[in-house]
Amino acid sequence: SAVALESYHIWNSWRDFLKLPADRYPELVKVRHCASILPVVEGGDDYYTERVVPCSREVGIPHEFLNAEQMASRLAKIGWTNMDVFRPCMPDDEKFGEAIPNAKYKGGWYYPETAYVSDPRQATKDVFAATTMVGGGIKHPVQYFFNSEVTSVTKSLSSFSVTGVEISNTKSKRNTSLLAPVVVNCTGPWSGEFTKLIFSDAKQPCDNVITTRALRTDVAVVDAPAGVDVDKDGLVVMDLEAGFYMKPDTNNRFMVGGVESKADPFEWLTNPEEVMDSEPGPIFDASVYRTALRVPTLDIPTGKNKRYVVSSYDVTEDWNPIVDRSCLGGLYQVIGTSGNCFKTAPVLGKIVSDLIDRESKGVIPLTGPQSHDAKPISVHLDKINRDISTALFHRKRKAREGSFVLS
């Protein structure tokens, strides 16, 4: 929660964070504000009240509990009028759409200060501009190697440390060796396979206890029902009972997707490129039809009217990322970021950069009782003036008790 709150404030001051002058870069990504609701079933597994709300309260995130009538009134503004409690079934299940007898919502947690980044591509362009601008907020502009594949990570086997990477341009086939005392593995859905590549010589086996795998994800984009103004009344809603989420999107639309419920098929990928340009799979239909249970006036997109994103992300066993060093000197990791760490990327970047800075300058030793492995560092979050431990992101942690553990 602290990481999310800090990131929220950073996104709200995006231009200042990147130090991009308005005269040269007038258009940056927009942060769109809305509210969110987390429904709670009477007598059910109250995940939100027991685990989410206490963290929100601790760091000062505004929230309040709406009773069932208040929640229904707020949800009705987005066309959500069916308040039955459903199981997370696939559409071809005979129990799909069948309400659980005697189950009902007692209300929901309401968060008035939720936000989302409407254009991740523009945000990426903003970061590119900030990191390549001469005379900007960084001392040395970054050099990018596009259309290039990392073929190996070079190592000094005598000191068990990295010395750089070798890359190959996929178009020109030109090979280049880059010397670097620090290499950061932030390869997204390729992280699992990339980690195997790094440690393929087995002279220094990887000591990550937490691992990553690439998981396919399908998200649907649907038009809001007639009479719904998404910019004015749009909400983020997590319906763990029916097995989907919905969030506002641009052009008076919603994005809807699955929550990896027990009813959902998981498609693990060795090569994330397998799903590029793919047609939507069963989760697309499941998400749309589950949304339609709640929003009866929703138009079901078919054929060429379907709008969607098919991609993948890397997940860990407990859905928390790894932001840590590795057993190889100079090799750091920001992996297992799943589908929710785009919003916290500014803080995850700060964590790994702080760790690199402290270790490279000798502020903390690489081994021993005062090392990061023995005593994970704390990082100060400037916006909320709070220190956080990085133990939650350590590669050797145990999967967090009570978290949604992926088997």
Side-chain angles (χ1 to χ4, degrees), residues 202-355:
K203 290 184 174 64
Q204 175 73 7
C206 180
D207 68 349
N208 286 12
V209 172
I210 298 294
T211 60
T212 66
R213 288 190 287 176
L215 177 64
R216 171 181 172 141
T217 180
D218 293 49
V219 177
V221 181
V222 296
D223 291 327
V228 172
D229 186 336
V230 174
D231 286 341
K232 178 183 176 184
D233 297 316
L235 289 168
V236 175
V237 189
M238 292 287 292
D239 188 340
L240 297 183
E241 283 67 45
F244 76 99
Y245 72 87
M246 63 187 300
K247 77 172 191 68
D249 198 21
T250 57
N251 300 315
N252 212 47
R253 293 171 180 153
F254 285 100
M255 295 188 76
V256 299
V259 295
E260 284 85 26
S261 74
K262 292 181 179 179
D264 296 347
F266 285 18
E267 185 178 343
W268 299 106
L269 306 172
T270 301
N271 181 5
E273 293 182 17
E274 295 172 12
V275 299
M276 289 185 177
D277 302 318
S278 294
E279 293 292 316
I283 295 300
F284 174 92
D285 290 328
S287 300
V288 171
Y289 281 101
R290 289 167 182 171
T291 305
L293 290 176
R294 296 294 187 202
V295 186
T297 56
L298 183 75
D299 285 336
I300 305 294
T302 58
K304 294 182 178 180
N305 292 324
K306 290 183 177 180
R307 301 185 188 90
Y308 53 87
V309 176
V310 177
S311 189
S312 61
Y313 43 58
D314 58 329
V315 300
T316 63
E317 290 84 350
D318 62 3
W319 291 84
N320 291 313
I322 299 170
V323 187
D324 195 4
R325 70 187 318 276
S326 74
C327 60
L328 287 176
L331 177 65
Y332 296 83
Q333 312 174 82
V334 184
I335 59 178
T337 47
S338 69
N340 64 19
C341 288
F342 180 85
K343 67 176 181 289
T344 58
V347 176
L348 300 188
K350 175 180 173 56
I351 291 172
V352 74
S353 64
D354 277 13
L355 177 58

Side-chain angles (χ1 to χ4, degrees), residues 18-247:
L18 296 181
K19 296 181 171 59
L20 286 174
D23 57 337
R24 291 178 60 184
Y25 301 95
E27 293 296 329
L28 301 184
V29 73
K30 292 180 174 59
V31 178
R32 296 177 178 267
H33 296 267
C34 59
S36 60
I37 289 181
L38 311 176
V40 176
V41 176
E42 241 179 46
D45 177 18
D46 198 347
Y47 173 84
Y48 298 126
T49 303
E50 294 176 4
R51 300 165 198 170
V52 177
V53 172
C55 295
S56 302
R57 186 177 297 120
E58 182 182 351
V59 299
I61 298 175
H63 61 281
E64 63 175 303
F65 190 78
L66 305 181
N67 63 34
E69 184 178 348
Q70 291 171 323
M71 182 176 75
S73 175
R74 183 63 184 86
L75 289 171
K77 294 182 179 180
I78 60 171
W80 182 306
T81 57
N82 188 333
M83 298 304 297
D84 289 335
V85 180
F86 298 104
R87 300 177 180 85
C89 299
M90 296 298 287
D92 58 358
D93 189 310
E94 63 180 12
K95 292 186 179 296
F96 182 80
E98 181 180 303
I100 300 176
N102 302 318
K104 61 180 180 179
Y105 287 102
K106 64 179 179 181
W109 290 101
Y110 178 74
Y111 285 75
E113 295 182 9
T114 309
Y116 65 99
V117 178
S118 61
D119 191 347
R121 180 177 296 180
Q122 180 61 51
T124 305
K125 291 180 179 179
D126 297 344
V127 172
F128 175 79
T131 54
T132 55
M133 184 178 64
V134 176
I138 59 175
K139 293 181 180 178
H140 305 289
V142 173
Q143 183 178 3
Y144 288 85
F145 293 85
F146 294 112
N147 301 310
S148 296
E149 176 184 3
V150 177
T151 55
S152 70
V153 174
T154 55
K155 299 179 283 290
S156 168
L157 297 182
S158 60
S159 60
F160 295 112
S161 61
V162 296
T163 57
V165 297
E166 294 182 353
I167 63 175
S168 177
N169 188 283
T170 56
K171 293 185 176 180
S172 69
K173 305 303 180 184
R174 178 183 177 183
N175 298 322
T176 304
S177 294
L178 302 173
L179 298 178
V182 171
V183 174
V184 180
N185 176 7
C186 50
T187 50
W190 287 268
S191 66
E193 294 303 309
F194 189 63
T195 299
K196 291 179 184 177
L197 173 69
I198 295 171
F199 293 94
S200 58
D201 55 27
K203 290 184 174 64
Q204 175 73 7
C206 180
D207 68 349
N208 286 12
V209 172
I210 298 294
T211 60
T212 66
R213 288 190 287 176
L215 177 64
R216 171 181 172 141
T217 180
D218 293 49
V219 177
V221 181
V222 296
D223 291 327
V228 172
D229 186 336
V230 174
D231 286 341
K232 178 183 176 184
D233 297 316
L235 289 168
V236 175
V237 189
M238 292 287 292
D239 188 340
L240 297 183
E241 283 67 45
F244 76 99
Y245 72 87
M246 63 187 300
K247 77 172 191 68

Side-chain angles (χ1 to χ4, degrees), residues 345-375:
V347 176
L348 300 188
K350 175 180 173 56
I351 291 172
V352 74
S353 64
D354 277 13
L355 177 58
I356 292 170
D357 193 53
R358 294 184 206 183
E359 290 195 338
S360 63
K361 292 179 178 178
V363 176
I364 57 173
L366 300 181
T367 60
Q370 297 303 314
S371 69
H372 175 66
D373 277 352
K375 187 179 180 182

